[in-house]
Each structure stands twice: as C-alpha cells, then as structure tokens.
C-alpha cells in the first residue's frame, strides 16, 4: 500500500474511533441529529421493520414487530411528501429511577421541522435511548403543531 493511502486510512480510522467514543457517552448533538435523519429516511422508505430490529430492547418487549411497523407506517402516512427536513431542537432527559415503566437511562428527543411539497410544515419527533451500543430508537411522533 502506498504511504499516503496508508496514512489516510489510519487518519480515517482514528476519526471514526473518536466519533464512536463520543457516541458512547451521548454527548454529540450531531450524532443525535444524524440518527434522527437516518430513522426518518427508513420510515419514509417503509423500512420500519429494520428500525424495530435495532430499536431499544424495552420497545421490543412492549410492541411486537408487526404492531410497531403498522403503527409507524400509519403515523407516517399522516405526514405526506417531504420536501425538506431541518432539525428544530434536541432535548436530553435522564430518567434516574425507571419511573412510569420506562427503564432508567439517558433519553433524547430530536424534533424536526418538516416542509412538505404542498408548502405545509409539520413536526416530527424521533426519540432515542442511549444504550451501550449507541442511541436506539424508542419512538416516532409526527404532529401538526410544535
């Protein structure tokens, strides 16, 4: 391998390892926005089953895969054709005691302002729980008002 390519690959590996370290402590807002956009793309493409496959474990125990997929698709149908999405806000929430039947841990809501092709704006919230493997989806809620 040429020396330049070897150094380039080493730098890329270091950069990836650094971003993974941030991912594990949940401190990266950029990571949450990207995770939200990725989940929304999967939802847009009708791939909610793939989301359930990698969702937080407690979501899998609450919702069978078929129910999760059907509910997600039904919610997405209320949105319409997306022209543009911009993140509008990120809220991190620590649940220290597992109250309300939700496991203890760090959670985050990523809110998107979504412009539709008919020039209407809707809002989509994608929720996550930080687990040892990174942020895992816990919910998707589209709505007309912020």
């Amino acid at each position: 391998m040429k020396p330049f390519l070897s150094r380039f690959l080493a730098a890329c590996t270091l950069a990836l390892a650094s971003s993974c370290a941030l991912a594990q402590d949940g401190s990266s807002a950029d990571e949450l926005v990207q995770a939200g956009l990725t989940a929304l793309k999967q939802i847009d493409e009708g791939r909610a089953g793939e989301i359930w496959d990698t969702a937080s474990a407690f979501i899998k125990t609450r919702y069978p895969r078929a129910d999760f997929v059907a509910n997600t698709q039904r919610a997405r149908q209320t949105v319409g054709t997306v022209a543009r999405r911009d993140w509008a806000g990120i809220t991190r929430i620590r649940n220290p005691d597992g109250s309300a039947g939700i496991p203890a841990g760090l959670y985050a809501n990523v809110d998107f302002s979504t412009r539709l092709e008919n020039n209407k704006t809707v809002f989509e919230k994608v929720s996550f729980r930080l687990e040892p493997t990174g942020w895992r989806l816990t919910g998707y809620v589209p709505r007309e008002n912020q």
Side-chain angles (χ1 to χ4, degrees), residues 4-94:
F4 170 77
L5 183 56
S6 184
R7 284 192 309 271
F8 175 74
L9 290 174
C12 289
T13 302
L14 181 60
L16 181 59
S18 298
S19 67
C20 288
L22 283 176
Q24 291 177 357
D25 72 5
S27 63
S28 172
D30 290 337
E31 180 190 8
L32 278 163
V33 170
Q34 189 55 52
L37 288 170
T38 298
L40 289 170
K41 182 176 188 241
Q42 288 175 301
I43 291 167
D44 290 346
E45 295 172 351
R47 296 169 38 213
E50 291 176 33
I51 294 172
W52 186 90
D53 292 342
T54 61
S56 181
F58 87 93
I59 293 299
K60 291 179 179 182
T61 61
R62 283 196 180 169
Y63 303 101
R65 190 178 199 269
D67 292 350
F68 178 88
V69 169
N71 291 339
T72 302
Q73 288 173 337
R74 190 172 22 262
R76 176 58 182 88
Q77 288 172 349
T78 66
V79 173
T81 305
V82 174
R84 178 185 173 104
R85 279 190 179 105
D86 294 301
W87 71 275
I90 297 172
T91 305
R92 291 173 14 133
I93 305 145
R94 184 160 305 278

Side-chain angles (χ1 to χ4, degrees), residues 36 90 96 112 116 121 127 135:
I90 297 172
F112 290 89
L116 305 178
T121 298
S127 301
W135 291 103

